Structure formats: structure tokens, C-alpha cells
């Protein structure tokens, strides 16, 4: 589904538009011309479905040069190993994500708790995905003719990153689970959540002067991103909790 000149929605499950496996977050494809990128990979539980969506938009997945992971939660990062191993895509993520993907430790990813809650099958294992050079924020990456910047955005969990795309004079924010349409946030009782870091993140995001916001779940907006992030930040700086996504 084409959202802007260079951004496509190619996946998203029960908490999205029902385009791919029910456990998948929104998965965005960035078309940089000679190279493609994905923002998050979904859970990896039905990657063939995702590949069919990518092909249906006219893209060859072999051109996916980079995978940008927002955070270690499995609905976002579980499919990373597949794209790394199958297409040789470089995985861009924080040290915290890299550690959990390399070790298979299910606590920081929230997977252990999610299994206890019955959200994922007990047999589900995250395939190992070694990442040589984790990012910490401030890095810039080329995807063909486009540039994506890394923004450290902890709070929802440790090691959460957002990604900013410069597109036709506008800034488009891939916000993961940090902030959503209508200024909602996602505070969960999972390992690594931190309300004070979340507040600092939101204040920083509100200074970016974005246009579109493309979060990990729920709605997205090609126009009113700045209003939504500002609304969440204003709540937090007054010590109030914005509306939660769930
Ligand atoms: Zn999450």
C-alpha cells in the first residue's frame, strides 16, 4: 500500500490493517530507487506472506539493502534473521537489540513474558541474527537516493530507536512503539520500560518538526505527525500519561 512517494506499508497484523501474520507490527518499505529498506520485519512467523506483499507492489526483495529495527520486541524484530540470511540485508539496530538477537535471550525482548501471557506459542524461538555494528543514535544511512537518520528513543523499552526519513523537503518519522497517531503512547509492564526516559524521548521527538508519522501499530498519518508527537510531549512534560494505545 503506497503511503507517500517513497513509503509503502507491506505488512501489519491484528493490531494493524491485517495485511500479514497476526503477530506482525506495521512493516514499512522505503523505496530509495536503486536500493530498498524495511522498517521492522514483523515476527517472522509468516515471511512468505510478507514477500508476496512486497512483490505485489512491484519490488524485488533481493534489492532490500538494509533492515532498520526500532526495538527488540518480537513483533518488530523476529523476522530480521530471515532478511539478513536470505537477501544479505544489513541490519541496523541498537546494541540492546543486537544483544538479544545474538543471544536469543527471551527476557529483554519481552518474549518470555509474552509466552506466559499466551501471545506466542511456547515453541517459538527467535533465529539468531548477529549484528556487527549496532547504532546509538545520530548515524545516517543511505538507502539509494534517500537518507535515514537514527534517533535514540528509549522509554517504551531499552534500546528503542526511531528513524527519520528526509523526503521531498519533509521529515517522515518511523516511530516504532514510541508514539502513535493521535499522540498515543505504549507503556507496558514489560522489561526495560522506563517512564522518565520516555518523557525525555518525547520532548526530543517533538523538536523534529516532522510531517508524517509511521508507527508500529494502529493508525498512521502522512500529514499530522508533528501535532500528534507534540500532544504526547505536552502531556508528559506536565507529568501526565498520554492515552495508551491499548
Ligand atoms: Zn514494542
Amino acid at each position: 500500500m503506497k503511503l507517500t512517494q517513497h513509503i509503502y506499508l507491506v505488512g501489519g497484523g491484528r493490531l494493524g490493517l491485517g495485511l500479514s501474520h497476526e503477530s506482525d507490527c506495521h512493516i514499512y518499505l522505503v523505496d530509495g530507487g536503486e536500493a530498498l529498506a524495511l522498517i521492522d520485519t514483523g515476527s517472522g512467523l509468516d515471511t512468505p506472506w510478507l514477500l508476496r506483499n512486497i512483490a505485489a507492489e512491484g519490488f524485488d526483495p533481493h534489492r532490500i539493502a538494509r533492515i532498520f529495527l526500532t526495538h527488540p520486541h518480537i513483533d518488530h524484530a523476529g523476522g530480521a534473521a530471515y532478511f539478513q540470511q536470505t537477501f544479505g540485508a544489513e541490519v541496523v539496530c541498537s546494541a540492546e537489540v543486537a544483544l538479544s538477537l545474538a543471544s536469543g535471550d527471551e527476557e529483554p525482548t519481552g518474549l518470555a513474558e509474552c509466552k506466559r501471557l499466551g501471545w506466542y506459542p511456547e515453541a517459538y524461538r527467535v533465529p539468531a541474527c548477529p549484528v556487527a555494528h549496532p547504532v546509538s543514535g545520530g548515524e545516517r544511512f543511505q538507502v539509494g537516493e534517500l537518507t535515514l537518520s537514527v534517533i535514540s528513543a528509549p522509554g517504551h523499552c531499552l534500546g528503542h530507536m526511531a528513524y527519520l526519513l528526509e523526503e521531498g523537503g519533509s521529515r517522515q518519522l518511523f516511530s516504532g512503539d514510541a508514539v502513535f497517531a493521535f499522540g498515543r503512547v505504549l507503556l507496558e509492564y514489560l522489561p526495560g520500560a522506563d517512564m522518565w526516559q520516555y518523557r525525555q524521548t518525547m520532548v526530543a521527538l517533538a523538536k523534529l518538526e516532522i510531517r508524517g508519522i509511521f508507527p508500529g501499530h494502529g493508525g498512521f498519518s502522512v500529514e499530522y505527525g508533528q501535532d500528534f508527537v507534540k500532544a504526547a510531549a505536552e502531556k508528559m512534560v506536565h507529568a501526565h500519561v498520554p492515552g495508551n494505545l491499548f
Side-chain angles (χ1 to χ4, degrees):
M1 182 184 302
K2 187 168 185 174
L3 305 182
T4 73
Q5 187 181 356
H6 299 281
I7 300 172
Y8 293 75
L9 183 68
V10 294
R14 188 173 286 274
L15 305 179
L17 303 191
L19 299 175
S20 63
H21 190 276
E22 63 173 346
S23 298
D24 290 348
C25 66
H26 283 325
I27 302 155
Y28 299 100
L29 181 145
V30 174
D31 175 17
E34 63 194 45
L36 309 172
L38 291 184
I39 313 296
D40 285 330
T41 60
S43 61
L45 284 169
D46 193 345
T47 308
W49 188 352
L50 188 54
L51 295 178
R52 287 197 297 276
N53 292 345
I54 292 170
E57 296 288 358
F59 296 111
D60 177 357
H62 290 89
R63 289 169 52 223
I64 298 172
R66 288 200 170 97
I67 304 288
F68 293 86
L69 299 177
T70 58
H71 65 294
H73 290 162
I74 288 312
D75 51 332
H76 296 255
Y82 177 88
F83 285 93
Q84 185 190 57
Q85 289 162 14
T86 310
F87 304 117
E90 180 191 0
V91 176
V92 178
C93 66
S94 65
E96 289 84 352
V97 180
L99 192 62
S100 60
L101 287 179
S103 69
D105 186 346
E106 297 187 354
E107 290 296 339
T109 62
L111 180 59
E113 179 63 18
C114 291
K115 283 183 178 178
R116 283 192 284 272
L117 292 166
W119 295 355
Y120 286 88
E122 191 54 45
Y124 179 53
R125 296 282 176 274
V126 182
C129 180
V131 177
H133 303 292
V135 294
S136 54
E139 297 87 348
R140 291 161 66 85
F141 290 90
Q142 284 303 122
V143 176
E145 65 195 45
L146 301 174
T147 305
L148 274 117
S149 306
V150 184
I151 298 164
S152 178
H156 171 72
C157 64
L158 287 174
H160 191 296
M161 295 289 168
Y163 298 99
L164 195 67
L165 171 68
E166 309 279 346
E167 186 186 42
S170 296
R171 295 173 138 191
Q172 317 284 26
L173 182 67
F174 298 101
S175 57
D177 283 0
V179 56
F180 300 85
F182 309 109
R184 292 186 180 272
V185 298
L186 189 45
L187 278 162
E188 295 175 309
Y189 293 98
L190 290 175
D194 186 308
M195 289 183 73
W196 186 247
Q197 283 192 330
Y198 215 148
R199 177 193 190 276
Q200 291 165 301
T201 285
M202 207 59 64
V203 169
L205 293 181
K207 292 178 182 163
L208 292 175
E209 296 297 336
I210 62 168
R211 184 175 183 184
I213 188 165
F214 303 94
H217 307 284
F220 44 82
S221 178
V222 298
E223 191 62 52
Y224 303 108
Q226 182 63 27
D227 294 348
F228 293 152
V229 178
K230 200 171 148 204
E234 282 180 356
K235 282 270 190 183
M236 287 188 178
V237 296
H238 289 96
H240 296 137
V241 179
N244 220 35
L245 187 64
F246 308 114

